[in-house]
Amino acid sequence: MSINFARYAAVVKNLRGVVIADLNEKGVESSIHWLVARFKYRNLGIGPQMINVFRDRLAKYLGGKPFRELTYPIPQLLQFAKILQSIGLNPILAEGLTLASIYISPLMVIGNRYAQVLEELGVAAVRVSKEMNIQEWKLHMRIADYSILDFYEECIEEGIKAINEAKRGNVTIINNILRNRKARISKDISRYWRIKSEFGKTFLIYVDMLELIKNQLRMLSIDQASALSIIPIIIIPPGMK
């Protein structure tokens, strides 16, 4: 067992989210303080790209207070994040999506920089037309955790099948898989019935990693299938207090 895989195994079960943010964006550090206060006794993950950029400003939160520095359990998954960069994603965003999938956790996006990009990449969203209280935030963050966990096994089996079919050139089968996943997302949205609205601010975005990388599937190996889940992405606005 590699050191990275051992570290992955030690963290994955108790992780409650993967966080990305641009700490140079106004109001983001306030929202990080707000998030930390909500997760005093839970682990949240941050990838090496974000830590390398903002290490000094994140240092006081690392070591499980509540942030944990995440690793790639196998090199092929680091390569997956690089493939996402090659199709135009920012390195921190590419890493966040990859790690959220392999750690079976929602992605928590703080601020507007990455949220704007994800609005375009998402296949569905949950919007809210009211200000949520702390209890509603905590409840629906927990529901997002259930969403990715309940999706996960079937998504990874579909990812394996899609990789194999892409190598055979069977586009029709891949498109059928993508349609089934979209239907699954539509059903999952009902979990958020307490807060969802037709209009309003975006609370959650679903990104289907298989949809996102479908044109590169022939490049992938089965070892990268764990990065092909459906990811619920929680949008935390800047300036939360």
Side-chain angles (χ1 to χ4, degrees):
M1 181 186 294
S2 70
I3 291 175
N4 279 355
F5 190 85
R7 288 174 175 161
Y8 167 81
V11 171
V12 61
K13 186 176 181 181
N14 292 318
L15 202 68
R16 292 296 176 265
V18 174
V19 175
I20 63 168
D22 179 354
L23 271 68
N24 292 323
E25 182 182 337
K26 184 178 179 180
V28 162
E29 288 206 55
S30 173
S31 292
I32 288 177
H33 290 309
W34 176 88
L35 183 63
V36 167
R38 309 282 82 75
F39 282 86
K40 288 180 180 178
Y41 308 107
R42 300 283 187 172
N43 288 330
L44 299 172
I46 298 182
Q49 288 273 4
M50 184 172 160
I51 289 176
N52 287 341
V53 175
F54 299 112
R55 183 176 294 276
D56 291 345
R57 294 159 72 177
L58 291 170
K60 61 186 174 182
Y61 302 122
L62 295 174
K65 299 180 181 179
F67 293 140
R68 303 291 298 268
E69 184 170 358
L70 302 181
T71 60
Y72 292 91
I74 57 174
Q76 292 90 332
L77 293 169
L78 173 59
Q79 181 59 33
F80 183 94
K82 291 180 178 179
I83 293 172
L84 291 183
Q85 291 179 49
S86 76
I87 62 173
L89 269 67
N90 169 280
I92 289 176
L93 177 55
E95 180 166 89
L97 288 166
T98 304
L99 292 173
S101 184
I102 64 181
Y103 279 86
I104 323 176
S105 295
L107 183 61
M108 297 181 176
V109 176
I110 302 175
N112 296 319
R113 178 182 177 186
Y114 300 117
Q116 291 170 352
V117 177
L118 288 163
E119 288 272 10
E120 298 177 4
L121 298 180
V123 296
V126 175
R127 307 189 190 282
V128 296
S129 58
K130 64 173 186 175
E131 294 297 324
M132 294 193 297
N133 60 36
I134 296 300
Q135 289 73 26
E136 288 171 324
W137 272 102
K138 292 176 77 171
L139 172 62
H140 291 91
M141 285 177 171
R142 189 163 66 249
I143 290 172
D145 201 15
Y146 297 149
S147 288
I148 190 168
L149 183 60
D150 290 348
F151 284 149
Y152 197 73
E153 184 176 3
E154 191 168 5
C155 280
I156 301 316
E157 291 296 330
E158 289 168 338
I160 293 169
K161 183 175 182 179
I163 290 169
N164 288 330
E165 295 300 336
K167 295 182 190 304
R168 300 184 185 106
N170 290 333
V171 176
T172 300
I173 293 176
I174 295 169
N175 287 337
N176 287 339
I177 291 171
L178 291 170
R179 278 195 292 272
N180 289 337
R181 286 161 75 107
K182 195 164 186 178
R184 205 176 309 145
I185 291 168
S186 296
K187 183 178 179 181
D188 192 77
I189 288 173
S190 64
R191 292 180 189 259
Y192 302 91
W193 61 269
R194 298 172 184 83
I195 59 169
K196 71 184 180 74
S197 174
E198 186 175 353
F199 304 103
K201 297 178 181 177
T202 303
F203 165 73
L204 186 125
I205 299 168
Y206 293 90
V207 167
D208 184 346
M209 296 296 285
L210 186 56
E211 174 72 37
L212 184 60
I213 205 166
K214 64 182 179 182
N215 293 329
Q216 287 74 34
L217 279 173
R218 294 181 68 180
M219 300 170 56
L220 301 187
S221 70
I222 299 305
D223 290 333
Q224 294 166 313
S226 62
L228 296 177
S229 68
I230 297 167
I231 303 174
I233 301 170
I234 299 164
I235 305 299
I236 301 173
M240 294 288 284
K241 296 180 180 178

